[in-house]
């Protein structure tokens, strides 16, 4: 089970107070205001709904990376920010490993929001828009999968014989 603490940030929080998700000791915090900007999530998504979608994404990503975390901690690494990631260790003050983690969380969050925010339209084009949103959600899930693979140093493509 993943140890996740959901906390409020003292500064720069949305009016309702749903501003930051903090995972225990190892993982970086997820700032929902930064997520809104990076993932182009507009204000039609309430702060509460974004919080719960992001919390679900954090839990899911942390569960997928549980073995990675255990291996890193066994090697003495106390935070994801210290993870070695090739020749580039930081980009604008964020470690490459943290970038991959946040990309996975943002992508899973966006996919969830695309799937759960049903389109409403009086013109009869709801079905067409729903299909387009489902395709976008699938693309975001693929992006999240790639981010997790990049973080773990695995290949991005999974295939199996049918």
């Amino acid at each position: 089970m993943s140890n996740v603490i959901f906390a409020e940030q003292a500064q720069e929080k949305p009016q309702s107070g749903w501003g930051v998700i903090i995972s225990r000791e190892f993982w970086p915090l997820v700032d929902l205001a930064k997520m809104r900007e990076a993932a182009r999530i507009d204000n039609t998504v309430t702060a509460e709904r974004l919080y719960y979608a992001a919390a679900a994404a954090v839990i899911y990503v942390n569960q997928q990376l549980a073995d990675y975390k255990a291996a890193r901690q066994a090697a003495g690494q106390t935070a994801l920010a210290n993870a070695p990631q090739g020749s580039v260790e930081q980009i604008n003050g964020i470690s490459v490993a943290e970038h991959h983690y946040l990309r996975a969380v943002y992508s899973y969050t966006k996919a969830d929001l695309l799937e759960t925010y049903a389109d409403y339209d009086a013109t009869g084009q709801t079905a067409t828009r729903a299909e387009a949103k489902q395709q976008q959600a699938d693309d975001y899930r693929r992006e999240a999968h790639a981010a997790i693979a990049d973080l773990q140093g695995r290949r991005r493509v999974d295939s199996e014989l049918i």
Side-chain angles (χ1 to χ4, degrees):
M1 179 84 187
S2 174
N3 294 328
V4 177
I5 298 174
F6 303 105
E8 296 179 17
Q9 183 180 15
Q11 302 172 10
E12 299 180 18
K13 63 182 177 183
Q15 292 177 346
S16 62
W18 303 87
V20 175
I21 298 172
I22 303 171
S23 293
R24 288 246 164 123
E25 73 270 345
F26 188 80
W27 306 113
L29 69 82
V30 177
D31 182 326
L32 300 182
K34 289 180 181 178
M35 179 187 288
R36 276 191 190 276
E37 291 176 23
R40 295 183 341 181
I41 299 170
D42 63 23
N43 288 329
T44 60
V45 177
T46 64
E48 292 83 1
R49 186 159 297 204
L50 177 60
Y51 178 87
Y52 285 112
V58 165
I59 291 167
Y60 186 65
V61 170
N62 289 359
Q63 287 172 343
Q64 289 186 59
L65 294 171
D67 291 339
Y68 174 85
K69 175 185 173 185
R72 293 294 180 189
Q73 287 182 320
Q77 184 178 326
T78 59
L80 183 63
N82 304 331
Q85 290 289 320
S87 61
V88 178
E89 294 186 20
Q90 287 196 347
I91 301 172
N92 293 334
I94 298 174
S95 77
V96 173
E98 288 177 300
H99 173 76
H100 291 314
Y101 176 84
L102 292 173
R103 194 172 96 218
V105 170
Y106 291 6
S107 295
Y108 278 127
T109 301
K110 184 75 175 197
D112 182 47
L113 292 172
L114 283 166
E115 289 175 341
T116 58
Y117 262 70
D119 197 8
Y120 51 91
D121 185 359
T123 64
Q125 301 212 359
T126 303
T128 304
R129 289 184 188 192
E131 288 175 20
K133 282 190 172 188
Q134 183 58 51
Q135 180 60 48
Q136 283 182 308
D138 291 344
D139 291 343
Y140 278 106
R141 288 193 194 290
R142 189 171 25 263
E143 179 68 19
H145 178 76
I148 289 171
D150 289 347
L151 178 58
Q152 294 175 322
R154 292 185 296 120
R155 293 179 184 230
R156 287 183 172 207
V157 178
D158 289 336
S159 64
E160 55 185 77
L161 297 172
I162 297 176

